[in-house]
Amino acid sequence: MTNDEPQPYNTAKIKGNNMTTKIRTRFAPSPTGFLHIGGARTALFNWLFSRHNGGEFVLRIEDTDQERSTDESTKAILDAMTWMGLNWDEGPHFQAQRVDLHRDMVQKLINEGKAYICTCTSEELETKRKSALTAGKKPKYDGTCRDKNLKKSPGSVVRFRGAQTGITIVEDLIKGNISFNNDELDDLIIERGDGYPTYNFAVVIDDALMNITHVIRGDDHVNNTPRQILMYQALGFDVPKFAHVPMILGSDKARLSKRHGATSVMAYKEMGYLPEALVNYLVRLGWSHGDQEIFSPKELIEYFALSAVGKSPAIFNPEKLLWLNAHYIKEATSERLAEEMKTLWPAGTNIGDADFTKKVIVDLQPRVKTLVELAGAANFYFTDQIQYEEQAAQKFLVPEVAAHLKAMAAAIPSVQNFTKEGLEEFLKAFTEENNIKFKVIAQPLRVALTGKTVSPGIDEIMVTLGKDRVVQRINAAVAYIDNQNK
């Protein structure tokens, strides 16, 4: 994947109260893997907040970790967001293309005495950390190089000269005000020994120069925020508003991981989930609007507010997501599902013509919870030779029903009204004429048509298969019975 040139951004609004009045949010993933469920919810909240307020949603790829960032991961993230319908108004910007700008800002702080060179080795830092812990102190950098006025050298880093007195208050739109004592915040590294800016510094520069007004992100970033606020102030930037969203936990109250189920957005696509089901589920993880459970995209945009986001962690419930997916499958058109199914049919499935496939989908969509389940349940429609489940054949394809099945195969070509209603009348008349109850022929007929004992309604299946297939399958079942009893 080729990184496009970043779109223009406003670099003029650096000092004073110049923050744009238009609300601008951003999603800034690192391209080091797939889009995680937690990241997807963060992107969704940012997208909804900007859309609700008539603002703009910016996408920025934070790819300064050159060892772990890949084009494949970038593409996976963009594909996941596109699948979920989270369109962006600007971007994607690529942070790695902005490194020279970040370095200029590092030098600006050095020139103004707000940052300094540090030559402490990793071994020295580890010794300092252990000593602080032994003494019962917080293991922060002790400021060894703070006032030495050192010059850059191979392996040296740049540290931000943090405030040593006073407090920094994070005015969180979800959690409320959070106070931090400045003397507990160490002098953070803002440029690594390889010359690349650190996350905490680059994100401040990019958010400020892209006029981001609201930073909505996971609450694992809360402790970064006071440090970032001090950097905004040191650089003369307006400080954006912050909102930290509680984490998503598994049913055991541990941080969501693979043991709780799939964590990748696109894994859910592959498992046969519809994007609107995942979006609806994720937005309800920590946000509510009364007792309403199911929302249209229009309703989500209309109702979404940060004030309705809870302060407690949300618990991921796969069964609830599955229920929502079943609902959206039932509500979807057969044309829409046929399109979604294109990559989900098992290899070798001859799905036939489009109209037939849509009829199959209509039969099954009220009965399945995922599109993968639909693909599996549809197999008997598309096969030329039914494979009978062993127990079903032993119980229902028996000599006692062979004559009834043969008579039915002979009568079906004369049925004029081959519809659900017409077949209901035909089956009723057939049982009366043969002086049998429908249950005598129902399961044998079902097994003849599908190979199993559980399926959509017999009349629905017959209509979808059509006369020729129905007659062929019934005759094949009669032949099976005859062969089994020779």
Side-chain angles (χ1 to χ4, degrees):
M1 180 174 176
T2 302
N3 289 355
D4 297 328
E5 287 298 316
Q7 296 182 19
Y9 51 86
N10 189 345
T11 59
K13 297 182 178 179
I14 295 181
K15 302 188 72 174
N17 297 316
N18 296 323
M19 186 69 77
T20 179
T21 55
K22 176 175 282 191
I23 284 178
R24 283 169 61 86
T25 65
R26 50 74 164 175
F27 179 54
S30 297
T32 56
F34 53 74
L35 180 58
H36 187 276
I37 285 294
R41 186 188 63 165
T42 298
L44 176 59
F45 281 10
N46 276 279
W47 184 86
L48 287 172
F49 185 77
S50 67
R51 294 291 177 261
H52 175 82
N53 289 285
E56 295 171 338
F57 176 58
V58 178
L59 178 61
R60 186 173 71 234
I61 304 298
E62 302 198 330
D63 56 346
T64 51
D65 185 341
Q66 294 293 290
E67 291 185 3
R68 299 175 61 219
S69 297
T70 66
D71 288 345
E72 291 76 17
S73 293
T74 298
K75 183 178 185 305
I77 291 169
L78 300 184
D79 287 348
M81 292 185 66
T82 300
W83 181 67
M84 291 178 65
L86 304 182
N87 59 313
W88 50 92
D89 303 299
E90 183 179 311
H93 297 289
F94 292 88
Q95 197 172 60
Q97 297 178 355
R98 301 164 58 81
V99 170
D100 289 343
L101 174 61
H102 302 144
R103 288 172 179 154
D104 288 345
M105 290 296 175
V106 169
Q107 190 59 50
K108 167 182 167 66
L109 290 181
I110 293 173
N111 294 343
E112 295 175 358
K114 298 173 181 176
Y116 60 91
I117 311 299
C118 174
T119 58
C120 294
T121 65
S122 57
E123 293 78 13
E124 290 171 336
L125 293 173
E126 180 61 18
T127 299
K128 295 174 188 292
R129 190 186 73 84
K130 290 180 179 177
S131 297
L133 290 173
T134 301
K137 298 178 180 179
K138 188 172 182 176
K140 68 171 190 173
Y141 181 63
D142 64 359
T144 297
C145 298
R146 186 179 176 98
D147 297 314
K148 289 185 177 180
N149 198 28
L150 300 172
K151 302 297 182 183
K152 286 189 177 181
S153 59
S156 66
V157 301
V158 180
R159 291 182 180 273
F160 177 68
R161 190 185 297 273
Q164 295 183 307
T165 60
I167 62 173
T168 296
I169 298 175
V170 177
E171 297 177 353
D172 195 290
L173 297 175
I174 293 174
K175 297 177 175 293
N177 288 357
I178 310 171
S179 297
F180 295 85
N181 291 322
N182 290 337
D183 61 4
E184 294 184 2
L185 307 177
D186 56 4
D187 289 354
L188 207 64
I189 294 174
I190 59 175
E191 185 178 282
R192 299 190 298 263
D194 61 3
Y196 276 86
T198 59
Y199 162 79
N200 273 297
F201 186 70
V203 75
V204 167
I205 303 303
D206 291 342
D207 283 346
L209 298 187
M210 292 179 184
N211 295 318
I212 302 303
T213 62
H214 292 74
V215 175
I216 304 168
R217 57 190 180 186
D219 65 3
D220 52 332
H221 287 285
V222 166
N223 289 332
N224 290 329
T225 305
R227 297 172 170 87
Q228 292 173 4
I229 288 175
L230 291 174
M231 292 181 200
Y232 278 104
Q233 293 171 341
L235 288 160
F237 292 139
D238 290 312
V239 178
K241 297 182 184 300
F242 291 94
H244 292 93
V245 180
M247 303 293 289
I248 301 175
L249 305 180
S251 57
D252 56 359
K253 305 298 177 67
R255 186 166 180 166
L256 190 66
S257 66
K258 288 183 178 179
R259 72 175 182 275
H260 300 113
T263 56
S264 161
V265 166
M266 295 307 273
Y268 284 93
K269 181 178 188 294
E270 294 165 6
M271 291 190 297
Y273 285 77
L274 293 176
E276 56 265 42
L278 186 61
V279 166
N280 199 144
Y281 181 70
L282 288 180
V283 79
R284 289 287 287 110
L285 279 179
W287 174 85
S288 63
H289 181 74
D291 295 327
Q292 188 170 339
E293 291 287 348
I294 297 172
F295 298 85
S296 67
K298 182 179 179 181
E299 288 175 323
L300 286 177
I301 292 171
E302 179 181 352
Y303 299 148
F304 187 80
L306 290 175
S307 59
V309 175
K311 298 179 181 180
S312 301
I315 305 299
F316 189 83
N317 181 351
E319 290 302 314
K320 183 66 173 294
L321 173 55
L322 199 59
W323 173 81
L324 275 169
N325 200 54
H327 164 79
Y328 281 107
I329 288 176
K330 289 183 180 73
E331 296 294 313
T333 65
S334 58
E335 290 80 9
R336 159 81 192 288
L337 294 182
E339 186 66 28
E340 295 284 350
M341 291 294 299
K342 283 184 175 179
T343 60
L344 296 175
W345 296 115
T349 301
N350 180 12
I351 61 173
D353 64 85
D355 288 340
F356 178 68
T357 301
K358 290 173 186 175
K359 291 177 183 178
V360 171
I361 289 171
V362 170
D363 281 358
L364 294 173
Q365 67 184 108
R367 297 171 172 85
V368 299
K369 295 181 179 178
T370 71
L371 297 183
V372 169
E373 185 183 347
L374 190 156
N379 182 58
F380 73 84
Y381 283 98
F382 300 113
T383 185
D384 292 328
Q385 187 171 356
I386 293 294
Q387 299 294 316
Y388 306 120
E389 292 178 352
E390 185 176 352
Q391 289 184 341
Q394 288 177 355
K395 185 174 181 180
F396 296 109
L397 297 185
V398 293
E400 291 80 2
V401 301
H404 296 313
L405 288 175
K406 189 178 297 185
M408 182 172 288
I412 284 176
S414 300
V415 177
Q416 295 298 313
N417 184 17
F418 207 77
T419 63
K420 188 174 185 296
E421 295 75 16
L423 285 170
E424 286 177 356
E425 294 176 5
F426 165 74
L427 292 171
K428 181 180 179 182
F430 180 86
T431 56
E432 290 175 353
E433 290 171 9
N434 288 272
N435 197 27
I436 58 174
K437 293 184 177 180
F438 181 62
K439 67 179 182 181
V440 172
I441 197 68
Q443 285 298 72
L445 180 56
R446 189 187 304 276
V447 175
L449 296 175
T450 70
K452 49 194 176 183
T453 57
V454 178
S455 72
I458 291 174
D459 47 6
E460 296 175 55
I461 295 170
M462 293 174 73
V463 171
T464 298
L465 289 174
K467 285 184 183 181
D468 292 344
R469 286 191 184 94
V470 169
V471 170
Q472 182 271 326
R473 292 184 184 196
I474 294 175
N475 285 332
V478 172
Y480 172 86
I481 294 172
D482 291 344
N483 289 333
Q484 293 297 108
N485 292 278
K486 282 182 179 180

